[in-house]
Amino acid sequence: MTDLPTPETDQPHDLVGIGIGPFNLSLAALAHGIPGNPHPLAAAFYEQRPAFHWHPGLLIDGASLQVPFLADLVTLADPASPWTFLNYLRSRDRLFPFYFAERFHIQRAEYDAYCRWVTDQLPGLHFSHQVDAIRWNNERSLFEVDFTQLDTDGEAEALGRAHTRHIALGIGTEPHIPDPLKPLTEAESLPVIHSADYLHHRKTLLDAEHITVIGSGQSGAEIFLDLLRARPAGREKLHWLARTQAFAPMEYSKLGLEHFTPDYSRYFHALPESVRDELVPHQWQLHKGIDTDTIAAIHDELYRRTLHGGWPDATLTPGVSVRTAGRVANTRIELHLEHTQQNTRSRLTTDAVVLATGYRERPLDRILTGLDPYMRRDTSARPRIDDRFRLVLDPTVTGNVYVQNAERHTHGVGAPDLGLAAWRSATILNNLTGTNAYPLPERTAFTTFGLTPHTPTIPTQNPDRIPLAQSN
């Protein structure tokens, strides 16, 4: 392994992004050619994966995004950007087919292809680069970012270091497996997979005699529907279990969607920490429910299988939690179930399990160890993040660390929503440059959240760090 040259005379970056998912890709796209900025922003983005892929294990045929195509990387901040979804269609001579298709919600596979089109053309993106550490260099007033360049096999090839004035963390989420189900994942011989890897193991799952899907969200519904369509009528042998009291539709009313506006994000951020923590779990149906079209498609498929008499061999049971799980004779899986309303218990033996149990934010502490002495935390020891998406750090740190999709505890249910990506990226760039390069609307919702609505302030010059006493 060799070291990449990092002479101290190298010019530092204005911005280094860590992770290249949709959120940092949005930031990179808007940072490329900022309107009215005579000097291009010196930016670099690092990603340990060899290429961009957006949830490849869930790109099921026909599965659609749950947000309109306008929630692309840039449109809601800069519709004239060259990186819009419509410009992607134009580059592929597909504008007229899209026009006649009359689709407001595009397929996931198409969104993935669009993002890869952006990454193929956008400069400053470095894949196969694993960031190992971040430190603050007081003498140079810069962040140091240590990384490892990986070869085609994912092995360490070279070490390097970048210096930057600011950092944007976009390390995303990771699959979550509840504790009672973790023993199953340790038995490699059993077909137990997280929904994130579904397509990679679909054939193995379909070869199993009986399949159980656990999880009541959109991914669980899409996987159950895909398995149902692939199984012969009368011999489906499927179970679908959920802890929620119903296979509930996602809140998709017009006013309900206003929880995913900048207005609500600002309102939520201004609430006391204890109120925010109590509020988030009760808002699960805003982002963890099932698209009504998917629910309808499942019911239609089940109903179709009753046309010639009989019922499909498919059991859908909400209100059930898995207490423990284990193997039976090394070849089958036994789930110990509890029904919360009936206060009853039973066992289910199955041959394969799909864990559609969602994702969790990757802990920031893993990568921020070097900044820990400077970080300010809330009463639950979580990083404090201000209203401009900056980590609240000691005032001696003059650079900013911006946070993408890891701030639900401070900004609410909209934190992971693609529809807010462009707005958040524009907010970050306006703050970083000290300009109003991307003019943003002061009002975005008909709903007035709270009796004293928050009025955002738009900086006109490079702002100093917000004093800690004023940060939420």
Side-chain angles (χ1 to χ4, degrees), residues 364-405:
L364 296 177
D365 290 345
R366 295 179 188 174
I367 202 167
L368 294 177
T369 301
L371 296 179
D372 189 65
Y374 304 99
M375 291 177 61
R376 300 294 185 261
R377 299 178 181 274
D378 64 17
T379 58
S380 298
R382 297 166 300 195
R384 293 169 61 187
I385 301 168
D386 72 18
D387 60 349
R388 294 169 194 162
F389 305 100
R390 305 176 298 186
L391 286 181
V392 178
L393 302 173
D394 188 271
T396 59
V397 181
T398 56
N400 293 320
V401 178
Y402 299 97
V403 176
Q404 301 252 43
N405 190 15

Side-chain angles (χ1 to χ4, degrees), residues 1-7 10-13 15-20 43-49 124-135 143-151 154-164 167 171 367:
M1 183 168 59
T2 60
D3 289 348
L4 295 176
T6 56
D10 279 0
Q11 289 295 316
H13 297 288
L15 174 67
V16 162
I18 300 173
I20 305 177
F45 290 77
Y46 299 109
E47 167 61 53
Q48 66 180 3
R49 296 176 301 172
L125 306 183
H126 303 277
F127 291 91
S128 296
H129 282 66
Q130 174 184 291
V131 172
D132 303 310
I134 301 170
R135 289 179 301 277
F143 292 104
E144 295 177 346
V145 180
D146 290 346
F147 59 84
T148 302
Q149 187 171 333
L150 308 176
D151 61 21
E155 298 296 328
E157 185 175 64
L159 300 176
R161 175 176 296 169
H163 293 89
T164 182
I167 289 173
I171 58 177
I367 202 167

Side-chain angles (χ1 to χ4, degrees), residues 95-170:
L95 266 178
F96 272 91
F98 181 75
Y99 166 58
F100 290 118
E102 297 184 346
R103 292 185 181 276
F104 203 49
H105 292 78
I106 62 175
Q107 293 192 15
R108 289 185 183 180
E110 189 167 29
Y111 178 79
D112 177 64
Y114 153 68
C115 289
R116 286 188 282 111
W117 170 76
V118 175
T119 62
D120 289 343
Q121 301 180 81
L122 200 63
L125 306 183
H126 303 277
F127 291 91
S128 296
H129 282 66
Q130 174 184 291
V131 172
D132 303 310
I134 301 170
R135 289 179 301 277
W136 175 249
N137 187 321
N138 270 311
E139 294 182 358
R140 300 188 64 188
S141 295
L142 294 170
F143 292 104
E144 295 177 346
V145 180
D146 290 346
F147 59 84
T148 302
Q149 187 171 333
L150 308 176
D151 61 21
T152 54
D153 296 322
E155 298 296 328
E157 185 175 64
L159 300 176
R161 175 176 296 169
H163 293 89
T164 182
R165 296 179 179 88
H166 306 286
I167 289 173
L169 292 176

